Amino acid sequence: MDQTLLNCDRLIRNAKVFNDGKQPVVEDIAIGNDRVVARGVNLQVVDTAEIIDAHGLWAMPGLFDIHTHYDLELELAPGLPESTRHGTTSVVISNCSLGLAFGSQRSKSGALEIDPIVDCYARVENIPKSVLRACADKIDWNSPQEYIDHLEQLNLGPNVITMMPHSMLRIQTMGFNNSVSRDPTEDEITVMKQILRDSLEIGYVGFSTDALPFHYLANQPNCHKTIPTQFAKYNEIKQLTNVVRDAGALWQATPPKDSAFDTLKTFLLTSGRLHGRPLKTTVVAALDVANNRNLLKLTKTLARVLNSKLLNGKFYMQALGAPFKIWSDGAVTPIAEEIPELRALNETDLEDRAARMVILSDPEYRKVFKAMWMKGKSGFSLARLKRKLRLEDYAFDRDMSGMTIDVCPMTMWQGLTFRDVFERVQRVLSSVHLDSANKSDPEQALILSEFDWVRDEADFVLQMLSSFDTQISWYTITANRDMKTVRELLMNPLLLPGFNDCGAHLTNMAFYDVNLRSLKLAAQGGDKDVSYMVKRLTKDAADVFGVEAGTIYVGDVADLILIDPEKLANHDGEAHVQRIYREEFQHQQLVNRSDGVVPLVLIGGNVAWRDNEFAPDLETRPFGRLLKPASLDQSKAAGSALANAAA
C-alpha cells in the first residue's frame, strides 16, 4: 500500500501501543470505517483525516468489565457513561442469575402482585423499588430472542455481552412461587435445558447462577427466602451446565461459601477429566477477607487444583483490583444479609423507616442484636478465639474502628469512625449533667436526649440506627486492605480481574474505575507487567467469554482507548468517590472520577469520550454492539460464504 494515499477517518500518532500481551511499540494507528486500517511508524494519510497527537500516551484495546449488573441501567442510560469515561468499552451483564431475558415476568397470585425484577433486585443490589419499577415499566419483550433483538436496537455506549440468568429461567419455567418452594420436575428441567440450549444458539454467551448467602428476595411473604437459583440442587445445576459445556459456552457462578465440601463438589463440574470436556467457569470472587485469612488461601488452592493436568478444568476466580469498600445506608447494606439480626432490618423496604423502627424498639430484638454484636469481643470462648485468629464466619467484622461515617445529619461526625463517635458519646455522658447541659450545642443536645441510655458499643450501634436510619451513610473495608496482596491476586494467571459490580448497589459500592486501578498496580512492574495486565483486561476476558474482541490488530473493530501514564500513576481511586444525582434514576449514585487519566475512548471507531467530555451523540445513536459468541459469528460467516458460493 502506498502510505501517502492511506485513507482513514482519524490517525492516532506516536502512541505506545499495548496489544495482546506483546512488547509495546511506539507507532501510529489509522482508523477508518470503524476499524483499524493500518498500524506503523510515520503513517501518511490524506488531509481529511483527524490527527490525534498521542505522544507520551498509551494506546490499548478498550477494557472489559466482566461482572456488571447493568441490565436495568441499559434501559435508562444505554451509553453507560460511568463506565465509558473510565475506558471500559465492553460489559458483561446478567450476572449472578439475574437479568431481563424474559422481560418483566410480572404476574398475579391471587391478590398478590408478583414483580420479579423488583423482588429479586431490590435487596441483592440495594436499589430502591421505585427505581426498579421505573426500569421494569419500560420492558416490552417476553422471550430470550426478543431480548437479543432489543439489545441490538439500543443506542449502546459500550459493547454488551449477555448470559442466560438462572433465577429468571426458573421463574419462567416453574412460576415465581414454585421457583422458591420446591424442586423442578424432570419435565421442567427438560424445558429449562431446551431454553438454555436455544439461547446459547442465538447469542447468549453463557449461563449465570448464584449461591452467596447475601441474596434475598424483597417481596412478602418471601423476604426470608433467597433468590430462586439458590433453591437449585446439584443435579439441576449439573444438567444445565452440561448444556453449557456441550455448547462450549461459559458458566458464571458464586460459591456456596459456607460449605467447603459443596464448593468443591460444585466446581468440580469444570473438570474435563471427570466430565469429558472442560467447562469454562468464572466465579466471584477472590478476595483477601479481613476477618477470615483462610478464604484467600482456599481460593488460590481451589483454582490451582481445578486447573491442574489431573482435573483439566477451565476455572477462573475473579479478583477485585481495589479495597472491597462497602457503604451502608443505616443498616441497609449487602453485608448485612449474612447476619440474621441485621438481615431482619434489610427485610423491610428501603423507604420504610417506620417498619425498621418497630423492629429496633422491640426488647427481644435488642437483646439478640446485642448478643450478636458483642459475640467474640470479650471473655474466653471459641468465638473469641476465632476472632483473634481472623477465622470468623461472617465477612463483616463488626469493628467500629473500621466503620467510617460518610454522610450524617450530625455533620460534625462526618469523617469520624463509629469508635470515634462512641468515645465522644461516652465523654459527654460522663462529664455533662442534664441540668448543666449546653442546650445550644447540637451534639450535646442529641447525645443527652437520645444516647443517654448507652452503656456499651452494641447499645451505641442500636441508637445510631434508631436516630438516623438511612440518613447516615458509613463505609467499611471488609477485604483487600493490603494492596500488595491485591496486586499479587491480579497478576496471578489462575485468576481474572473482575467483580467490579458496576450498575449495582446505587449507594453501596463504587468500583467503576477498578480496571484503571488494576493497570496502576500492574505498572509498578514496568511495561512488561502493564502489557500483561492489558491482555488480562482485554483479550483474555474476550477469550473466556468466547467473543471476538480485545485486540487492535489491522482489521479489528476500533474499540480503543488512550491512557495518560503519569495521571494514572497519580490516580487515587479511593479519594475520588463522589455522590452524584442521576436524573435517569431520580436518585443519588456513588461513582468514581478519574479525570485526565483516559483522554480518549473510541467505541466502534467513534469518539465516545474525549478530554473529560462525552460525545454529544452518546445515547442518541449506537456506538457499541451486542457481542455474540465467536463460534456463532463464524458459523454465520461460513453459512453466508457457502450461500454465496452456491449462488
Side-chain angles (χ1 to χ4, degrees):
M1 178 185 295
D2 185 349
Q3 288 188 332
T4 61
L5 299 178
L6 185 62
N7 192 8
C8 66
D9 301 319
R10 57 181 51 90
L11 179 71
I12 298 173
R13 195 176 286 286
N14 294 323
K16 179 183 279 189
V17 180
F18 293 87
N19 182 45
D20 205 10
K22 293 179 168 53
Q23 181 73 19
V25 293
V26 175
E27 61 182 11
D28 305 338
I29 306 172
I31 297 163
N33 295 323
D34 303 340
R35 294 183 179 267
V36 177
V37 297
R39 285 178 48 188
V41 177
N42 197 27
L43 295 179
Q44 301 300 308
V45 298
V46 295
D47 293 341
T48 56
E50 176 192 10
I51 307 297
I52 299 172
D53 182 8
H55 179 78
L57 302 179
W58 296 345
M60 62 188 65
L63 308 177
F64 273 65
D65 190 339
I66 65 172
H67 190 100
T68 81
H69 289 277
Y70 269 137
D71 312 62
L72 294 166
E73 185 167 335
L74 281 167
E75 303 308 312
L76 300 179
L80 303 182
E82 293 308 321
S83 282
T84 299
R85 70 189 303 139
H86 297 299
T88 293
T89 64
S90 297
V91 301
V92 180
I93 62 172
S94 302
N95 284 280
C96 299
S97 86
L98 303 180
L100 308 182
F102 301 98
S104 69
Q105 298 182 284
R106 284 170 166 165
S107 63
K108 274 193 171 184
S109 178
L112 186 65
E113 297 278 350
I114 295 175
D115 199 346
I117 289 173
V118 175
D119 300 339
C120 290
Y121 275 86
R123 285 170 70 188
V124 173
E125 306 303 345
N126 299 112
I127 296 176
K129 289 184 176 181
S130 58
V131 176
L132 295 170
R133 288 192 186 100
C135 295
D137 287 345
K138 299 174 72 69
I139 291 173
D140 61 359
W141 62 91
N142 298 291
S143 72
Q145 179 63 67
E146 290 175 356
Y147 186 47
I148 289 288
D149 296 340
H150 170 73
L151 289 173
E152 291 186 317
Q153 296 301 313
L154 282 180
N155 292 324
L156 297 176
N159 307 309
V160 169
I161 301 160
T162 190
M163 295 180 286
M164 173 54 59
H166 187 213
S167 282
M168 276 49 196
L169 178 60
R170 266 184 148 244
I171 293 169
Q172 187 70 16
T173 306
M174 303 172 65
F176 187 90
N177 289 329
N178 287 334
S179 75
V180 293
S181 60
R182 66 166 173 82
D183 296 332
T185 64
E186 280 302 316
D187 285 345
E188 286 169 335
I189 288 182
T190 298
V191 170
M192 283 193 278
K193 287 166 62 179
Q194 189 59 54
I195 292 173
L196 178 56
R197 187 177 295 110
D198 292 344
S199 298
L200 297 175
E201 290 177 355
I202 62 173
Y204 292 76
V205 302
F207 174 60
S208 70
T209 64
D210 173 68
L212 285 177
F214 305 100
H215 296 161
Y216 282 80
L217 293 169
N219 72 326
Q220 296 293 353
N222 295 311
C223 283
H224 64 290
K225 293 184 177 181
T226 52
I227 56 178
T229 185
Q230 299 204 9
F231 288 83
K233 293 186 172 65
Y234 175 79
N235 179 62
E236 178 183 341
I237 297 294
K238 181 179 179 181
Q239 290 197 57
L240 291 169
T241 54
N242 278 340
V243 174
V244 180
R245 186 194 313 275
D246 292 342
L250 174 117
W251 174 33
Q252 183 271 320
T254 59
K257 85 168 189 64
D258 292 331
S259 170
F261 174 78
D262 287 343
T263 297
L264 179 59
K265 178 183 177 182
T266 300
F267 293 138
L268 278 171
L269 289 169
T270 191
S271 172
R273 183 77 63 189
L274 297 178
H275 300 284
R277 176 180 180 180
L279 171 64
K280 285 194 298 183
T281 305
T282 178
V283 174
V284 178
L287 294 169
D288 182 20
V289 178
N291 66 326
N292 195 323
R293 60 185 180 180
N294 280 344
L295 289 180
L296 186 57
K297 295 176 183 176
L298 291 172
T299 293
K300 293 191 288 188
T301 299
L302 182 66
R304 186 166 56 252
V305 170
L306 293 175
N307 290 318
S308 66
K309 290 183 178 179
L310 176 64
L311 291 177
N312 187 29
K314 289 186 176 180
F315 184 83
Y316 310 92
M317 290 290 290
Q318 296 178 19
L320 176 67
F324 191 44
K325 180 187 286 187
I326 300 177
W327 277 258
S328 303
D329 300 318
V332 178
T333 175
I335 55 174
E337 300 283 16
E338 195 180 11
I339 302 174
E341 293 78 9
L342 291 174
R343 188 188 312 139
L345 298 171
N346 277 241
E347 288 178 355
T348 63
D349 285 355
L350 186 62
E351 301 92 337
D352 194 351
R353 177 173 185 170
R356 286 188 289 279
M357 293 306 105
V358 170
I359 296 170
L360 287 166
S361 62
D362 179 4
E364 187 59 33
Y365 175 80
R366 296 167 82 88
K367 179 180 177 181
V368 296
F369 183 98
K370 284 172 61 68
M372 172 275 296
W373 193 266
M374 301 306 295
K375 183 179 179 180
K377 292 186 176 182
S378 62
F380 297 95
S381 65
L382 178 59
R384 176 71 167 162
L385 180 62
K386 290 175 73 173
R387 187 170 179 83
K388 285 283 189 182
L389 296 176
R390 289 177 55 207
L391 296 174
E392 289 191 288
D393 298 324
Y394 297 139
F396 178 36
D397 63 7
R398 300 164 292 129
D399 180 0
M400 294 204 308
S401 299
M403 298 165 59
T404 302
I405 299 169
D406 187 27
V407 177
C408 182
M410 184 59 65
T411 55
M412 65 181 64
W413 291 354
Q414 292 177 173
L416 301 180
T417 68
F418 271 49
R419 174 68 61 191
D420 295 332
V421 176
F422 178 49
E423 291 174 354
R424 290 171 78 116
V425 168
Q426 288 181 309
R427 283 197 296 271
V428 169
L429 294 178
S430 64
S431 61
V432 178
H433 298 288
L434 284 175
D435 56 358
S436 63
N438 181 359
K439 302 294 185 179
S440 65
D441 182 326
E443 182 183 41
Q444 283 196 21
L446 176 70
I447 291 172
L448 293 173
S449 64
E450 298 188 25
F451 289 79
D452 57 312
W453 67 280
V454 167
R455 297 295 177 266
D456 58 28
E457 65 174 68
D459 293 342
F460 170 74
V461 173
L462 277 167
Q463 189 56 53
M464 290 287 277
L465 297 178
S466 298
S467 293
F468 302 118
D469 191 50
T470 58
Q471 289 181 299
I472 186 170
S473 178
W474 54 276
Y475 62 81
T476 185
I477 298 175
T478 62
N480 285 11
R481 294 177 179 175
D482 180 2
M483 296 313 294
K484 180 180 178 182
T485 301
V486 172
R487 187 181 190 278
E488 291 172 357
L489 287 173
L490 292 171
M491 302 299 286
N492 188 324
L494 295 176
L495 308 180
L496 195 65
F499 187 43
N500 298 348
D501 229 23
C502 293
H505 311 289
L506 283 182
T507 56
N508 293 121
M509 294 185 190
F511 295 139
Y512 296 90
D513 68 338
V514 172
N515 284 341
L516 298 179
R517 298 199 215 183
S518 299
L519 285 171
K520 177 181 176 178
L521 288 171
Q524 295 174 6
D527 283 355
K528 181 179 178 182
D529 284 359
V530 171
S531 183
Y532 172 72
M533 184 55 64
V534 169
K535 184 171 184 288
R536 308 207 77 203
L537 293 169
T538 56
K539 186 60 165 62
D540 287 353
D543 288 347
V544 168
F545 284 86
V547 297
E548 287 285 354
T551 58
I552 46 174
Y553 291 114
V554 173
D556 287 344
V557 174
D559 298 328
L560 182 152
I561 66 174
L562 295 181
I563 298 278
D564 185 324
E566 290 188 11
K567 288 191 168 70
L568 177 68
N570 294 320
H571 174 56
D572 183 352
E574 293 302 302
H576 289 89
V577 175
Q578 299 180 9
R579 291 175 186 271
I580 65 170
Y581 185 80
R582 292 287 297 273
E583 288 290 342
E584 302 94 327
F585 306 142
Q586 296 288 294
H587 199 276
Q588 279 196 325
Q589 182 181 20
L590 279 174
V591 298
N592 310 91
R593 288 295 178 260
S594 57
D595 292 351
V597 176
V598 186
L600 179 70
V601 177
L602 299 180
I603 304 177
N606 299 290
V607 175
W609 168 263
R610 175 155 50 187
D611 298 333
N612 296 330
E613 291 187 359
F614 292 107
D617 53 352
L618 187 70
E619 296 193 345
T620 65
R621 69 178 183 88
F623 280 63
R625 61 209 187 278
L626 179 66
L627 294 179
K628 297 181 179 180
S631 57
L632 181 62
D633 290 339
Q634 291 163 2
S635 174
K636 284 186 176 179
S640 178
L642 286 172
N644 290 336

